[in-house]
Amino acid sequence: MNITKQNTVAEIVSKKLGSDHVFSKYKIDFCCGGGVTLENACKEIGIDFEVLKLEIEAINSKINSDQNLNDLDITSLMEQATEEFHETIITNLPQIMQVAAKVASVHGSHNPEVVEINNLMQGVDVVLSEMIKNTEETLFSTVKEVLALNNSAADISTNQVESIKKAINKGEIAQLLVSDSFKEISKLSTHYAVPADGCNSFRFLYDQLHELDHLLQKYVHFNKHVFIPKISKIIA
């Protein structure tokens, strides 16, 4: 795929593996704001289009895979969502929460922003847990029932369609809440910049939050631009 100024950020993330890291580096929103063109994204952050293009092509060439998410079937996409996103979140979140509480307790008096970050993460923890539960127990479960009908649209029940739509809507609301929380966390932490006197726990917390922020942006993109459109086609 040739990268042009008219391509949207979402298109590039879907088809150029590794491009998400470049967009994250330049703080270009590739999940909720993925519909913007590269030309406008570059203007907004003040970077030359050719520079961005070269970085995307360079990182993409290092990834020895021709996998295109849009080429995967729905079952494979559900497996990828579980393995790449859900399991990673479930594994890492408890440790992040523990360190966030510790840093807030130890450094909160001199760095009040970490207290606010800890409070925000309390909400993120609840929302992410409910989001994953909703996705796996309701959305994925119902989608699997529909797929078992072997593409017979006439056999899809109204209840199944409504269940899928409600689960998608709940997921989108959860993703928006988490996205807003991380925008505030990024702002409070000055984009995850550890203070000069920050201890190892401080550094670990900001590194982990930054990684989780990036992962969640990828997850929102995955849902909004790849997974949900495919599901919508089978229940249309």
Side-chain angles (χ1 to χ4, degrees):
M1 174 188 180
N2 185 39
I3 301 175
T4 71
K5 292 181 179 180
Q6 284 66 48
N7 287 129
T8 65
V9 172
E11 288 173 339
I12 300 302
V13 173
S14 294
K15 298 181 180 180
K16 290 290 185 179
L17 296 176
S19 60
D20 53 297
H21 291 281
V22 179
F23 290 134
S24 180
K25 171 185 174 182
Y26 290 110
K27 301 180 179 63
I28 296 174
D29 183 359
F30 59 86
C31 52
C32 297
V36 68
T37 64
L38 294 184
E39 182 177 24
N40 288 335
C42 288
K43 286 180 180 178
E44 186 174 343
I45 64 171
I47 184 175
D48 185 78
F49 166 74
E50 291 300 327
V51 172
L52 185 73
K53 178 180 176 181
L54 287 174
E55 287 198 35
I56 292 172
E57 290 178 337
I59 194 169
N60 182 252
S61 67
K62 293 179 181 179
I63 301 175
N64 298 317
S65 171
D66 293 323
Q67 180 188 34
N68 185 328
L69 290 177
N70 290 310
D71 292 335
L72 297 179
D73 60 26
I74 292 176
T75 299
S76 298
L77 288 173
M78 288 192 290
E79 291 174 354
Q80 179 153 337
T82 299
E83 294 171 5
E84 181 177 349
F85 299 112
H86 298 173
E87 291 181 0
T88 303
I89 292 169
I90 291 170
T91 299
N92 295 338
L93 195 53
Q95 188 175 25
I96 294 174
M97 296 304 301
Q98 182 179 2
V99 177
K102 176 182 178 181
V103 171
S105 175
V106 175
H107 299 280
S109 58
H110 294 95
N111 302 92
E113 69 276 6
V114 296
V115 175
E116 293 185 60
I117 288 172
N118 182 51
N119 291 336
L120 285 166
M121 283 304 299
Q122 301 274 343
V124 167
D125 185 25
V126 173
V127 174
L128 284 179
S129 297
E130 288 299 316
M131 181 189 74
I132 292 172
K133 181 180 179 181
N134 167 66
T135 301
E136 296 196 346
E137 295 184 6
T138 302
L139 180 58
F140 286 4
S141 178
T142 310
V143 168
K144 288 175 183 177
E145 291 176 7
V146 171
L147 293 177
L149 299 174
N150 295 318
N151 297 319
S152 178
D155 292 331
I156 301 175
S157 71
T158 301
N159 286 340
Q160 287 172 323
V161 172
E162 288 304 312
S163 177
I164 289 173
K165 287 182 177 180
K166 287 180 180 178
I168 289 174
N169 186 53
K170 285 181 67 176
E172 289 175 342
I173 292 171
Q175 290 160 33
L176 181 60
L177 289 172
V178 171
S179 178
D180 286 345
S181 292
F182 267 95
K183 285 178 183 177
E184 184 63 22
I185 290 170
S186 178
K187 181 180 177 181
L188 286 167
S189 63
T190 317
H191 304 302
Y192 307 104
V194 180
D197 59 348
C199 65
N200 288 335
S201 293
F202 215 126
R203 189 174 306 280
F204 176 82
L205 174 62
Y206 276 22
D207 285 347
Q208 290 297 302
L209 287 173
H210 196 182
E211 287 183 18
L212 182 57
D213 186 358
H214 180 74
L215 179 72
L216 291 169
Q217 288 191 55
K218 286 181 67 177
Y219 182 66
V220 172
H221 166 81
F222 172 87
N223 278 290
K224 184 175 182 179
H225 300 288
V226 182
F227 186 55
I228 301 306
K230 286 206 171 189
I231 295 176
S232 298
K233 287 181 181 179
I234 68 173
I235 62 172

